[in-house]
Amino acid sequence: MPTVVSITRSRKEVPAPLKRLPKLTAPLLRLNGLCPYYTMFPLSFPFDALAASEAGEWVFDPFCGRGTTILAARLRGLPSVGVDSNPVAGAIAASKLAMVRASEIRALARTILEDANPGPVPATPHGEFWEKCYAPKTLREICRIRNFLLVQCSTRVEVALRGVMLGILHGPRNKSKPTYLSNQMPRTYSTKPGPAVRYWRKKKLEPVEIDVLDAIDRRARFSFKQVPPSMLGKIITCDSRTFDFARLAPRYSWVITSPPYYGMRTYFPDHWLRNWFVGGPNDVDYSAEHQLSHHSEAEFVTDLATVWKKTAEVCLAGAKLICRFGALPSCEKDPRDLFERSLAEAKCGWRITTIKDAGTSQHGRRQCDQFGTGKNNPVEEIDVYAVLE
Ligand SMILES: C[S@@+](CC[C@H](N)C(=O)[O-])C[C@H]1O[C@@H](n2cnc3c(N)ncnc32)[C@H](O)[C@@H]1O
């Protein structure tokens, strides 16, 4: 069953759409950095793509990741729908729609920590991982919040708390007040249990007990200091190849998206600890069942074609498709060729108007920087513009 999170707004609220993106460090944009996600595109990409949008037009992203398109639409004052098969992506994206005050997030976290049942604490497999990743009290508190949110996570405050927790679940240790709950780990991806334990042993790193409520409070006050006006929106955690998009009422004028780059199949394993927090197993999940197929080039193209066709069916004539796409260098594939073949196979009216290299973004980091392939082995990225005829 797909998980759906919708956020509605009161009729009285009339959001003022943003015409220009402020500096990325502006409090209004902090929500964008709530939690990292592999291969997210820069906020300026969907925001600029929506420059010609008009009030009331709906925006769609069938591979929404952490919801960058959803946030850009909200900033532009446009309603949106995002779909992603990765529950971590769905959870982060849903928090991009939340209209909450930091004090509400703290109040909910405090209530849960005081009242909720602790529930099970992971011990196997990888017992040493769990012992070394979190101090025992910190892990119990994380589990209290996790177990509560697994039972109910539908209100805007619950959705925002889950986003905050995903953002602080793991990351580097700092010398001052700890920002992250874990032992030393990157914040972008979760290290696998074996390598993590070996690293902590080698460096003699033991987990520090963290005041979870304080860490939540600080992150919530930072990320939700100023949020854009609330907007209608929906995030659906499901497979875009099979979910019936027509079940959702709107007809879309804009599709702004970035499908998995060809060869990029590790969205679940790379986020395995966050995946555990949102209800996944206590272990790395290597299944890629609900991701576009990477078994062969032909299957990938067919999967993509399926999504373009289903998307066209719920778009208005004249709708725009704006897409950033690439292929990992190890695959030695031309992303233009893969993309053009997928649209040709879809035979559904999307006509490409422009394809250009995405390489010279003047607005912050390129998306491929997230792959960590290094300057000598760059991912080739393209931006495709198409119109529905
Ligand atoms: C390049 S990322 C999108 C990143 C997004 N633009 C952002 O800024 O966060 C591609 C996404 O497609 C999702 N995905 C892969 N196969 C999918 C499928 N069959 N249905 C829905 N989402 C899928 C992945 O989970 C991943 O989050």
Side-chain angles (χ1 to χ4, degrees):
M1 272 294 282
T3 317
V4 181
V5 175
S6 350
I7 308 279
T8 49
R9 70 184 155 89
S10 81
R11 278 164 188 270
K12 279 189 198 153
E13 268 183 274
V14 182
L18 216 62
K19 297 275 181 242
R20 286 181 54 188
L21 212 52
K23 276 208 286 196
L24 279 178
T25 48
L28 185 64
L29 301 191
R30 284 184 187 169
L31 194 50
N32 187 45
L34 181 67
C35 179
Y37 186 71
Y38 236 30
T39 72
M40 59 235 183
F41 48 37
L43 184 59
S44 55
F45 177 70
F47 187 85
D48 292 349
L50 288 168
S53 60
E54 289 183 15
E57 290 180 332
W58 279 80
V59 180
F60 185 50
D61 186 346
F63 303 103
C64 73
R66 68 169 188 165
T68 317
T69 294
I70 303 306
L71 182 61
R74 181 175 174 184
L75 288 162
R76 288 274 187 196
L78 301 172
S80 63
V81 172
V83 179
D84 201 290
S85 58
N86 186 335
V88 174
I92 307 171
S95 54
K96 301 293 164 63
L97 285 165
M99 180 59 146
V100 286
R101 288 191 302 277
S103 57
E104 296 177 288
I105 299 173
R106 181 190 166 89
L108 174 63
R110 166 174 265 168
T111 309
I112 297 172
L113 290 171
E114 285 173 3
D115 299 343
N117 287 327
V121 172
T124 57
H126 313 299
E128 195 178 352
F129 172 85
W130 294 104
E131 277 168 25
K132 283 204 178 323
C133 190
Y134 299 108
K137 182 164 179 281
T138 309
L139 183 57
R140 278 198 304 279
E141 295 196 341
I142 293 170
C143 288
R144 244 176 230 273
I145 296 176
R146 173 182 186 260
N147 294 327
F148 178 93
L149 293 175
L150 290 184
V151 177
Q152 59 181 81
C153 190
S154 54
T155 69
R156 60 197 172 83
V157 189
E158 289 160 357
V159 166
L161 173 60
R162 187 176 57 183
V164 168
M165 284 299 290
L166 289 173
I168 61 174
L169 199 60
H170 58 78
R173 301 207 328 197
N174 45 16
K175 294 206 174 77
S176 53
K177 265 198 159 184
T179 307
Y180 300 101
L181 304 178
S182 70
N183 204 340
Q184 178 73 23
M185 205 187 261
R187 62 189 282 272
T188 40
Y189 65 91
S190 334
T191 316
K192 309 284 183 320
V197 168
R198 283 196 291 280
Y199 177 82
W200 294 327
R201 272 201 218 133
K202 188 172 162 203
K203 300 276 175 187
K204 297 190 175 32
L205 288 170
E206 291 301 324
V208 173
E209 192 173 297
I210 315 278
D211 181 338
V212 174
L213 184 59
D214 181 57
I216 292 172
D217 184 45
R218 280 183 288 123
R219 176 54 66 93
R221 276 192 283 126
F222 181 82
S223 297
F224 288 87
K225 185 179 170 65
Q226 190 189 350
V227 289
S230 63
M231 245 303 135
L232 286 174
K234 235 186 235 303
I235 301 297
I236 299 154
T237 302
C238 69
D239 191 327
S240 281
R241 293 168 300 182
T242 51
F243 181 72
D244 178 11
F245 295 154
R247 271 175 56 184
L248 311 165
R251 288 287 175 270
Y252 305 98
S253 304
W254 298 91
V255 180
I256 302 174
T257 193
S258 174
Y261 285 16
Y262 186 66
M264 177 65 191
R265 62 189 93 201
T266 55
Y267 287 101
F268 277 70
D270 285 342
H271 294 283
W272 80 269
L273 201 46
R274 293 189 174 114
N275 191 43
W276 162 76
F277 186 80
V278 297
N282 299 356
D283 200 356
V284 186
D285 181 359
Y286 286 101
S287 64
E289 206 187 320
H290 297 294
Q291 295 277 299
L292 291 196
S293 171
H294 291 263
H295 290 311
S296 72
E297 193 182 317
E299 275 185 39
F300 181 85
V301 167
T302 299
D303 276 359
L304 209 47
T306 305
V307 178
W308 298 144
K309 187 167 185 312
K310 289 172 69 241
T311 302
E313 285 163 7
V314 289
C315 280
L316 296 164
K320 308 279 191 314
L321 166 66
I322 299 164
C323 182
R324 180 159 289 184
F325 183 57
L328 296 198
S330 52
C331 301
E332 297 179 348
K333 297 288 175 211
D334 176 6
R336 281 172 198 248
D337 172 58
L338 293 171
F339 196 92
E340 285 172 344
R341 277 164 51 201
S342 73
L343 275 198
E345 190 171 320
K347 283 200 205 90
C348 58
W350 289 118
R351 180 177 58 82
I352 294 176
T353 53
T354 313
I355 300 188
K356 54 186 185 192
D357 286 343
T360 53
S361 169
Q362 296 149 351
H363 310 281
R365 291 152 65 86
R366 296 172 63 203
Q367 185 163 339
C368 65
D369 291 343
Q370 309 295 332
F371 288 100
T373 54
K375 287 199 174 79
N376 298 330
N377 201 10
V379 176
E380 193 189 337
E381 287 178 311
I382 51 167
D383 288 344
V384 183
Y385 298 78
V387 62
L388 189 64
E389 294 188 323

